[in-house]
Amino acid sequence: MFHKEGHKIIFGMLTIAILGSIAADSFVPNIYIKGVIIVTLMIFLFLVLQFFRNPKRNFILNEEQLLSPVDGKVVVIEEVFEKEYFKDKRLQVSVFMSPINVHVTRYPAGGEVVFSKYHPGKFLVAWHPKSSEENERTTVVVKSSSFGEILHRQIAGALARRIVNYAEKGQKVEQASDSGFIKFGSRVDVFLPLGTKIDVELNQVVKGGITVLASK
């Protein structure tokens, strides 16, 4: 199963792989060069399919828990000053996604979208300290019944060139449903109220919509 954001790219890559393989087979006399071309095309096709896969998952929804918005590795757990929306101190949990992770972004909590904004920006590597403020990004705030307002921010990385955000202000959303997609990139920050119990550790591998990020 593949995410809708990848349908056009997958079709394009599949077409290139097929036509390129036919052309190599027909016009490249050297069997080794021909093999390298075909194998390379198949590898690129496989990587594109991997990137846009959207595996079916059985989500266990719980208003007393916040779920990881994406697949990846926890790279930040710290108290910070959130400048854009809250303008006060929050607990930040950041998850870094490698190119082979599932890149669907899911809502950590259900509720009402009270803020949604896109910011154009740079494409610094995702682990750069200034990436959360200077890179292309989207900021979404959902007001949940148990945790109050929860902010999650999609951040583009060095390879990312498009962030898709489905959140609209006033929209009612369900926990673990699709919030967006980062094409070929690379980090999501979640900002939580101080005192929230964090249920993950640094360098822990998490799954979007499955791993409990925090709880009451």
Side-chain angles (χ1 to χ4, degrees), residues 56-119:
K56 186 175 181 180
R57 293 177 177 174
N58 296 317
F59 304 116
I60 301 176
L61 309 184
N62 188 333
E63 292 183 356
E64 299 297 310
Q65 297 176 333
L66 294 174
L67 303 179
S68 176
V70 290
D71 290 17
K73 183 170 70 172
V74 177
V75 293
V76 173
I77 301 176
E78 63 183 7
E79 183 179 310
V80 299
F81 186 87
E82 199 288 310
K83 299 178 181 178
E84 180 181 1
Y85 181 80
F86 295 115
K87 297 179 174 60
D88 64 13
K89 290 185 177 181
R90 295 277 149 166
L91 286 175
Q92 176 182 335
V93 180
S94 300
V95 180
F96 173 76
M97 295 168 283
S98 75
I100 61 172
N101 283 128
V102 174
H103 277 61
V104 182
T105 304
R106 306 184 185 279
Y107 289 104
E112 180 183 354
V113 177
V114 295
F115 184 82
S116 180
K117 187 173 182 179
Y118 167 78
H119 301 269

Side-chain angles (χ1 to χ4, degrees), residues 2 6 18 23-24 26 28-29 37 59 72 78 82 90 94 100 105 123 145 148 157 170 178 182 184 200 215-216:
F2 300 101
I18 292 173
S26 301
V28 178
I37 293 172
F59 304 116
E78 63 183 7
E82 199 288 310
R90 295 277 149 166
S94 300
I100 61 172
T105 304
F123 298 97
S145 58
D178 286 13
I182 311 178
F184 305 109
V200 292
S215 57
K216 296 290 286 184

